[in-house]
């Protein structure tokens, strides 16, 4: 088993992909991380809005799900081969607004075509074909990643066995659309945005503000109050300096056009779009669907996800009590990681008996 363990960060090229809009992209590059037992069943991980394909990472540079994925962990890389792609439209090595448009020779910038969650999934499927992956045991993701996971079950049901959808809902509701609109308006209204033609590498205040708005929705009032307690330092409340820091941190590493591309893709998320509605999709959803909601998630209603999941013939839903709200899928793995490992093992040696079903 030890000899079959490998770790790789690379990229794959998809020759062409026709988007839902009808536009065809050529020579699409998708950056990926592949780790674990190279002979084991494949698990595909889909990342969230500002996440990356570096899920496991290394001891020197840990990935964002290092606490969930690894040897002997909840997603056991001694048993499974774990693959994650940076999404189409991203800015961490995959084709997106910062990439070169082969027709013009310049960066796509604001001219990068509109994409949907379904386009992301199609691009990953084509990339997996290039990697000679014949079948996926499970796909898992939270938030934007959860949107992709749900779509995998609808688009390629014979290619996968299990779908793990975390901190998501069958469609992005109007509350989520509203917050995305604020973020989009903040970026596009920044004078430095220049209709998307800002110099490459620019740090825009509009993006920083959009990030601040997002951060407020990711966690709960309880957590904010407990952490900051109205304390002021240097004439500024600590919660204000925290949001300033988070905005600047993202602004330094994320492309504004890419952020817009992904927000607008999230707006398209509706599992029932063009399929007769979410209830019809649920009734005929062929894969095993395991969904997990987190207490205090402002955007992705636990009740909405529960209702959808319980309509799925092979659906089970879990509710995790937490003060972290939406960000629950990034922390406190001891509360819900066992759910993942149990379902991967088909409930053998189950150690977790939690939540609502």
């Amino acid at each position: 088993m030890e000899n079959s363990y490998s770790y790789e960060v690379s990229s794959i090229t998809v020759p062409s992909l026709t988007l839902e809009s009808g536009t065809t992209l050529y020579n699409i590059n998708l950056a990926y991380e592949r780790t674990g037992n190279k002979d084991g069943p494949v698990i595909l991980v889909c990342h969230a809005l500002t996440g990356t394909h570096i899920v496991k990472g290394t001891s020197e540079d840990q990935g964002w799900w290092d606490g969930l994925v690894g040897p002997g962990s909840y997603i056991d890389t001694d048993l499974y081969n774990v693959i994650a792609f940076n999404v189409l439209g991203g800015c961490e090595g995959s084709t997106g607004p910062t990439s070169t448009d082969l027709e013009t020779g310049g960066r796509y910038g604001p001219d990068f075509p509109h994409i949907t969650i379904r386009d992301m999934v199609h691009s990953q499927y084509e990339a997996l074909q290039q990697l000679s992956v014949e079948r996926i045991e499970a796909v898992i993701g939270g938030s934007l990643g959860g949107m992709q996971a749900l779509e995998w079950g609808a688009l390629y049901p014979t290619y996968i066995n299990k779908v793990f959808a975390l901190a998501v809902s069958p469609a992005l509701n109007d509350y989520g659309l509203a917050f995305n609109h604020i973020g989009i308006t903040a970026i596009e209204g920044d004078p430095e945005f220049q209709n998307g033609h800002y110099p490459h590498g620019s740090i825009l205040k509009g993006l920083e503000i959009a990030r601040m708005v997002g951060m407020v929705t990711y966690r709960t009032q309880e957590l904010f109050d407990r952490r900051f307690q109205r304390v002021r330092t240097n004439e500024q409340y600590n919660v204000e300096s925290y949001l300033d820091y988070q905005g600047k941190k993202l602004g330094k590493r994320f492309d504004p056009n890419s952020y817009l591309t992904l927000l607008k893709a999230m707006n398209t998320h509706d599992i029932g779009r063009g399929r007769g509605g979410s209830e019809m999709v649920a009734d005929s959803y062929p894969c095993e669907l395991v969904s997990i909601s987190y207490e205090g998630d402002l955007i992705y209603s636990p009740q909405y996800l529960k209702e959808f999941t319980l309509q799925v013939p092979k659906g089970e839903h879990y509710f995790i009590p937490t003060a972290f709200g939406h960000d629950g899928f990034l922390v406190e793995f001891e509360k819900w990681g066992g759910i993942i490992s149990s379902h991967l093992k088909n409930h053998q040696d189950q150690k977790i008996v939690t939540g609502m079903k």
Side-chain angles (χ1 to χ4, degrees):
M1 184 73 70
E2 184 178 350
N3 292 333
S4 65
Y5 191 94
S6 64
Y7 181 80
E8 175 188 16
V9 175
S10 188
S11 63
I12 195 79
T13 300
V14 174
S16 67
L17 180 72
T18 299
L19 307 175
E20 280 201 274
S21 65
T23 299
T24 299
L25 288 173
Y26 296 95
N27 294 321
I28 295 171
N29 193 64
L30 289 186
Y32 69 88
E33 177 194 65
R34 189 171 190 174
T35 185
N37 181 354
K38 62 184 180 182
D39 299 320
V42 170
I43 294 178
L44 177 67
V45 175
C46 303
H47 69 75
L49 174 61
T50 59
T52 74
H53 53 294
I54 306 300
V55 174
K56 174 57 184 171
T58 64
S59 57
E60 295 79 21
D61 187 17
Q62 294 181 343
W64 56 271
W65 250 0
D66 175 71
L68 188 73
V69 176
S73 193
Y74 301 109
I75 299 178
D76 190 349
T77 50
D78 286 334
L79 302 176
Y80 298 102
N81 191 231
V82 180
I83 300 176
F85 294 101
N86 183 236
V87 292
L88 177 67
C91 56
E92 299 283 351
S94 290
T95 295
T98 61
S99 303
T100 300
D101 182 345
L102 298 180
E103 291 187 5
T104 67
R107 296 185 185 277
Y108 278 106
D111 297 321
F112 188 74
H114 175 72
I115 62 170
T116 68
I117 304 300
R118 296 176 191 181
D119 292 329
M120 295 177 182
V121 172
H122 287 311
S123 70
Q124 292 166 21
Y125 175 79
E126 294 300 328
L128 288 167
Q129 302 311 294
Q130 295 289 320
L131 291 171
S132 299
V133 175
E134 296 181 357
R135 187 169 178 80
I136 293 176
E137 174 61 26
V139 57
I140 179 171
S143 194
L144 171 62
M147 295 176 180
Q148 295 167 68
L150 284 175
E151 279 292 346
W152 264 101
L155 292 172
Y156 297 101
T158 62
Y159 188 67
I160 57 178
N161 288 332
K162 301 179 179 70
V163 172
F164 294 93
L166 284 53
V168 71
S169 51
L172 184 64
N173 62 23
D174 289 283
Y175 202 57
L177 290 169
F179 276 104
N180 279 359
H181 179 65
I182 295 171
I184 291 168
T185 302
I187 295 171
E188 293 182 340
D190 187 330
E192 300 299 317
F193 182 63
Q194 301 179 44
N195 293 318
H197 296 286
Y198 50 84
H200 180 61
S202 295
I203 300 175
L204 302 187
K205 187 64 177 179
L207 176 58
E208 294 179 11
I209 294 171
R211 179 61 166 175
M212 292 184 211
V213 170
M215 293 301 297
V216 173
T217 70
Y218 297 155
R219 298 194 171 183
T220 63
Q221 175 184 321
E222 175 189 351
L223 198 68
F224 270 74
D225 289 345
R226 184 195 308 168
R227 176 171 179 177
F228 301 110
Q229 302 182 38
R230 289 186 55 81
V231 173
R232 298 182 70 170
T233 304
N234 298 326
E235 301 303 316
Q236 188 179 38
Y237 286 105
N238 285 359
V239 67
E240 295 174 324
S241 60
Y242 166 79
L243 291 175
D244 286 343
Y245 168 76
Q246 292 294 338
K248 288 179 169 59
K249 181 180 177 182
L250 184 75
K252 292 177 181 177
R253 76 170 182 88
F254 217 89
D255 176 65
N257 278 324
S258 184
Y259 196 84
L260 289 173
T261 296
L262 300 186
L263 282 184
K264 293 174 181 179
M266 293 176 73
N267 286 349
T268 71
H269 173 59
D270 181 355
I271 197 72
R273 176 171 60 85
R275 298 171 176 147
S278 61
E279 290 187 9
M280 185 172 292
V281 172
D283 288 340
S284 59
Y285 204 80
C287 301
E288 177 183 344
L289 172 61
V290 180
S291 66
I292 303 178
S293 295
Y294 299 85
E295 181 182 11
D297 192 332
L298 292 176
I299 305 297
Y300 302 97
S301 166
Q303 188 62 30
Y304 191 12
L305 183 58
K306 178 186 177 183
E307 291 172 356
F308 176 82
T309 304
L310 295 187
Q311 286 183 273
V312 172
K314 293 182 288 185
E316 292 192 63
H317 178 263
Y318 298 85
F319 177 82
I320 306 301
T322 180
F324 281 88
H326 181 66
D327 268 1
F329 79 97
L330 296 171
V331 295
E332 298 182 314
F333 303 117
E334 71 281 358
K335 286 188 176 182
W336 55 271
I339 296 171
I340 307 299
S341 60
S342 170
H343 280 275
L344 286 174
K345 297 174 184 176
N346 294 317
H347 296 284
Q348 294 177 16
D349 303 320
Q350 184 173 3
K351 297 180 181 179
I352 295 292
V353 184
T354 186
M356 59 184 184
K357 300 183 182 181

